[in-house]
Amino acid sequence: MSKVIQHSLFTDYDIYLFKSGTHFRIYEKMGSHLIEVEGQKGVYFSVWAPNAQSVSVIGNFNFWNTQEHPLSSRWDGSGIWEGFIPGLEKGTLYKYHIHAQSGQHLEKGDPYALFWEVPPKTASIVWDNDYTWNDQDWLKKRQEKAGKPQPYSVYEVHMGTWKKNGNESLSYRELAEDLVDYLKEMNFTHVEFLPVMEHPYFPSWGYQVTGYFAPTSRFGTPQDFMYLVDKLHQAGIGILLDWVPSHFPTDAHGLAEFDGTYLYEHSDPRKGFHPDWKSAIYNFGRNEVRNFLTSNALYWLDRFHIDGLRVDAVASMLYLDYSREEGEWIPNEQGGKENLDAISFLREFNTMTYREFPDVITIAEESTAWSGVSHPTYAGGLGFGQKWMMGWMHDTLDYFNKDTIHRKYHHGEITFSLIYAFTENFMLPLSHDEVVHGKGPLIDRMPGDEWQRFANLRLMYGYMYTHPGTKLLFMGGEFGQTTEWSIERGLEWWLLEFGPHKGVQAWVRDLNAFYSAQPALYEKQFSNEGFEWVEHGDWENSVLAYLRKGEKAEENLLVVCNFTPVTREGFRVGVPAKGKWKEVLNSDAKIYNGTGDHLNGTVKADKQEWNGREYSIEFTLPPLATVVFRLG
């Protein structure tokens, strides 16, 4: 095997940008790259290890010999070690052997590796991103729709457990058939994948990442994942990825103490150790670390055509005292608890993402009352496109968990979200977090007999889809999965042999189609101009009525929700205009496993004042149901 040849892909300008934390395509230079040097094909390696005594490449090509292929340290103080090894090919296994100043000998995977061995094996693999894309029509339409109101009906998926063949998870290419067909059938606009980046421990759900630049090899190659993205785009479905810049695991082959020092993480455990997840926290104040993270975000948008990133655990990044007791955290330089470095990083990440890819979306999973999460950075916000509406989720599930006879005493819980619904660009999440750790499936939150439980679930989804904001539903919720989600098994697809489950699935399918087809539900979903109460004070009957409004008044919708199992005949609601009001959705229809006894068809408005309006309609309000009317 040939010896290492001194060679560099870096220019002086590259190094300047890297040191300043602003080289947002650094993945084009760092890591392993198949190139040709002076007529010889091989692999160029580069790694950041500024405090190492020496660094060498070990692998299956040199019998993991630590002396055979040493890299050279650059002269410019960048801390980068590099070199070219002729003769190596795609598929070569490798790691970096790092001799630390402390005398330690470390074997580390490549932080920028494009592909890894299937866990529990831990070697990086020389690979490329070559792929012929066929999603040009999707990308063109995405660009045309940038900045315009659009529906986001998101199906949240854990790839390894969505569906299984026996005990085996589906591959990326199998998902490209089964999952794509299902998403089309169910009318979801987007799929959101729990982290696909390589992670050593399957039960972490992907949130403990070691291979930030590599789709997990459990389901195939990077090209197989590209094929899945391509097929989704060709089917008109967008892809969001969960992205985890908040923390990383301390596995020996990963980023922790990478060159024998606290390189990517803070050295002080009061800043650098996460007590909840027993993981390391990034040093957001270090330029090279910010560079690593921001370039990683852009990498998925660039090389994999991803349409958006949902950033995990933002609250844990914003606050120095997150999950810490007094004395376990260090105040910032102003004496406060805000993590100023993390705030700066998040603003920079969002600014660069939207500058480079103005037609994608960033979404924050942020559970506190932090102001301006989805406001522009130039206005003092964090710059996200949307934020999860955790308060809505908690209040809604708490309300629906109550016996229907007691709901009138908790009416404020179901109306409270509209007090702050337009302070952010909110996404309404019923996510994986709500069906794990003993919480049980959503159907188990619903009170009453079997019919009432399923009617309640349909009612909750009807309320969710007509409430302002975009939508997210975790897999299995769309057909009333009856057991808590488990990393060990696939979804209970056999439940669809039964009417109640098939009815919920049909309801979600039609809600998705309705949401996308009705501008009144998404044109002004982040503005108070898109919502108007008709009746929010009828606590005695536990009924809500409201208008959803778009640009055209004739497209406005009247939504009425009955949160009790009492059928209300001759129910009257004020309407904003005379004419005929047609019932366009009714969760009590037979197709949804409802009674089918209380469909209203078209109702003519009477000139009878009601709810402060000149005209009103009278109809039958079904039990535990959402009904929607439209003028005309």
Side-chain angles (χ1 to χ4, degrees), residues 348-418:
E348 182 177 69
F349 148 72
N350 279 310
T351 298
M352 294 309 304
T353 298
Y354 284 111
R355 191 186 81 176
E356 297 294 310
F357 298 94
D359 51 350
V360 304
I361 187 77
T362 63
I363 303 166
E365 188 228 0
E366 203 285 313
S367 54
T368 73
W370 187 281
S371 178
V373 171
S374 60
H375 295 184
T377 55
Y378 62 75
L382 294 182
F384 286 94
Q386 295 179 32
K387 170 185 170 173
W388 276 18
M389 197 176 190
M390 308 293 276
W392 171 88
M393 178 270 295
H394 286 300
D395 288 346
T396 298
L397 291 177
D398 284 350
Y399 179 84
F400 271 88
N401 193 43
K402 291 176 170 61
D403 192 291
T404 55
I405 199 170
H406 299 306
R407 285 179 178 171
K408 63 182 179 180
Y409 304 114
H410 300 273
H411 198 64
E413 289 181 26
I414 203 67
T415 61
F416 181 69
S417 59
L418 271 303

Side-chain angles (χ1 to χ4, degrees), residues 502-516:
K502 204 161 185 63
V504 172
Q505 185 191 49
W507 176 237
V508 172
R509 178 197 66 211
D510 289 355
L511 282 173
N512 280 328
F514 188 72
Y515 171 50
S516 293

Side-chain angles (χ1 to χ4, degrees), residues 271 318-322 324 329-332 336-339:
K271 280 189 171 184
L318 294 176
Y319 294 100
L320 295 166
D321 66 342
Y322 186 88
R324 298 178 192 274
W329 59 281
I330 309 171
N332 63 34
K337 62 182 180 179
E338 299 79 14
N339 189 331

Side-chain angles (χ1 to χ4, degrees), residues 56-121:
S56 62
V57 184
I58 58 176
N60 60 352
F61 60 94
N62 64 6
F63 303 101
W64 307 92
N65 187 318
T66 63
Q67 306 300 315
E68 195 76 17
H69 292 94
L71 298 179
S72 300
S73 176
R74 289 184 61 90
W75 55 270
D76 49 23
S78 63
I80 294 172
W81 299 73
E82 61 185 350
F84 173 75
I85 305 178
L88 298 190
E89 298 177 340
K90 182 176 176 178
T92 300
L93 302 182
Y94 72 100
K95 285 185 179 182
Y96 295 117
H97 175 267
I98 296 174
H99 185 195
Q101 295 288 350
S102 64
Q104 288 177 283
H105 290 269
L106 308 170
E107 291 186 2
K108 293 290 188 177
D110 187 346
Y112 291 86
L114 305 182
F115 195 28
W116 292 68
E117 286 187 291
V118 177
K121 295 181 178 180

Side-chain angles (χ1 to χ4, degrees), residues 502-547:
K502 204 161 185 63
V504 172
Q505 185 191 49
W507 176 237
V508 172
R509 178 197 66 211
D510 289 355
L511 282 173
N512 280 328
F514 188 72
Y515 171 50
S516 293
Q518 300 294 327
L521 290 178
Y522 65 83
E523 280 185 339
K524 297 182 178 181
Q525 60 191 346
F526 302 135
S527 167
N528 58 12
E529 296 177 355
F531 179 90
E532 183 181 338
W533 281 118
V534 175
E535 175 60 82
H536 64 82
D538 190 1
W539 60 272
E540 187 67 46
N541 292 317
S542 296
V543 170
L544 293 180
Y546 46 89
L547 295 172

Side-chain angles (χ1 to χ4, degrees), residues 63-241:
F63 303 101
W64 307 92
N65 187 318
T66 63
Q67 306 300 315
E68 195 76 17
H69 292 94
L71 298 179
S72 300
S73 176
R74 289 184 61 90
W75 55 270
D76 49 23
S78 63
I80 294 172
W81 299 73
E82 61 185 350
F84 173 75
I85 305 178
L88 298 190
E89 298 177 340
K90 182 176 176 178
T92 300
L93 302 182
Y94 72 100
K95 285 185 179 182
Y96 295 117
H97 175 267
I98 296 174
H99 185 195
Q101 295 288 350
S102 64
Q104 288 177 283
H105 290 269
L106 308 170
E107 291 186 2
K108 293 290 188 177
D110 187 346
Y112 291 86
L114 305 182
F115 195 28
W116 292 68
E117 286 187 291
V118 177
K121 295 181 178 180
T122 58
S124 303
I125 305 175
V126 173
W127 210 255
D128 60 38
N129 288 142
D130 293 347
Y131 181 81
T132 302
W133 289 91
N134 296 290
D135 63 348
Q136 292 79 10
D137 288 346
W138 167 268
L139 294 179
K140 182 181 177 184
K141 289 176 183 174
R142 192 181 81 179
Q143 194 171 30
E144 291 170 353
K145 292 189 292 185
K148 298 177 182 177
Q150 51 190 296
Y152 281 82
S153 175
V154 182
Y155 187 56
E156 189 187 32
V157 169
H158 178 262
M159 283 191 193
T161 56
W162 178 71
K163 186 184 286 187
K164 289 199 172 187
N165 288 327
N167 291 323
E168 295 296 315
S169 301
L170 299 188
S171 69
Y172 291 128
R173 288 186 177 262
E174 288 171 330
L175 287 165
E177 305 304 321
D178 290 13
L179 179 60
V180 172
D181 287 347
Y182 185 69
L183 289 164
K184 284 178 64 178
E185 175 192 342
M186 291 298 293
N187 300 311
F188 284 99
T189 65
H190 291 75
V191 61
E192 179 180 320
F193 292 122
L194 272 63
V196 302
M197 300 80 182
E198 193 60 83
H199 51 283
Y201 186 52
F202 192 58
S204 77
W205 311 337
Y207 290 99
Q208 298 267 3
V209 178
T210 47
Y212 272 77
F213 288 82
T216 179
S217 55
R218 291 175 175 89
F219 315 129
T221 68
Q223 281 72 18
D224 293 333
F225 180 59
M226 291 173 178
Y227 178 81
L228 170 57
V229 172
D230 209 358
K231 286 295 185 181
L232 285 162
H233 280 171
Q234 291 173 51
I237 299 161
I239 303 101
L240 310 175
L241 295 186

Side-chain angles (χ1 to χ4, degrees), residues 300-311:
W300 292 99
L301 307 175
D302 173 23
R303 298 296 173 89
F304 289 87
H305 295 197
I306 298 303
D307 304 293
L309 299 171
R310 174 268 197 188
V311 182

